[in-house]
Each structure stands twice: as structure tokens, then as C-alpha cells.
Amino acid sequence: MPLKSVQELIASETGGSVRLVENPMGITASTTDQIALPLNPVRYAWGIVNLGAQAIYIAPSSPASSTRGIRVDITGGLVAFAWKTDLALVIPEWHLIAASGTPAFFLWEIVGDPGFPYEEL
């Protein structure tokens, strides 16, 4: 049996192609809760890396805070979700708030895109 490329495996699982989208809402972390990811039923995975020196909190479906949400630790803290392991946690709207300041972060999502060519992935 010939080896399959990652693109072929993705297509067999999802029925199409996917594409990477960085910071889809174009936000900057701050001490005001904001939507980091909108509701998306064709989001297959997403993740965030905190590049800053202040903690970031994320939460699904409603505002994040230090008492409600997942802490993304400073200078390299990572949280990632994938539909195969985390099921529907990849779909809802996700909120983000910084504990203080405006820490830099890297946020990405993998979304379904049947018209996206494999070679550009």
C-alpha cells in the first residue's frame, strides 16, 4: 500500500482541504475581554501560544477571566485543540483576556476549505 501524504489523510477525514488562518479576528490581547475566534463549525483545530510576560486566559462561549477559563502561561505557554481529541471544543466562539498589559501571542486555526489547493497548505 503506498504511503499517503498529510493532505490525502486530511481529505479522507474531512472530505476536502483545510487552510491555516492566523489571528482571524486581528485582535491584540488586553485587559478587556474580546472574541479571539468566532463560532466556526468547520474549524478542525486551533491553538494559541503566549509570547508575552503576562498570563492570558481563554474561555469558550462567554467572557474569559482569571476565575473562568484556561490559563495560557507566560513566555511560551501553549493551548491547542483538535477535533479528533477534543471533539466539539474546537467549534464555539472563544474569548481571550490578558491578566495585565498587552502580551503578544500567536493564534492559529485550521479551517475547512474545499476549494483550497493542497500545494498551498
Side-chain angles (χ1 to χ4, degrees), residues 15-120:
S17 294
V18 297
R19 65 184 168 104
L20 172 71
V21 179
E22 296 179 15
N23 196 0
M25 301 297 285
I27 65 169
T28 301
S30 72
T31 56
T32 301
D33 177 79
Q34 53 195 316
I35 297 169
L37 292 170
L39 172 76
N40 187 343
V42 292
R43 182 184 302 124
Y44 297 109
W46 74 273
I48 183 170
V49 177
N50 184 352
L51 304 171
Q54 300 87 22
I56 292 174
Y57 296 90
I58 58 170
S61 305
S62 59
S65 71
S66 62
T67 59
R68 184 192 176 279
I70 299 167
R71 180 185 167 104
V72 185
D73 215 357
I74 65 171
T75 58
L78 165 71
V79 175
F81 295 95
W83 74 273
K84 282 236 181 200
T85 54
D86 302 304
L87 305 174
L89 276 175
V90 297
I91 297 171
E93 173 180 278
W94 278 82
H95 291 246
L96 175 146
I97 192 167
S100 63
T102 57
F105 63 91
F106 179 62
L107 173 70
W108 72 91
E109 65 178 345
I110 304 295
V111 296
D113 188 353
F116 194 74
Y118 291 141
E119 54 275 8
E120 293 183 31

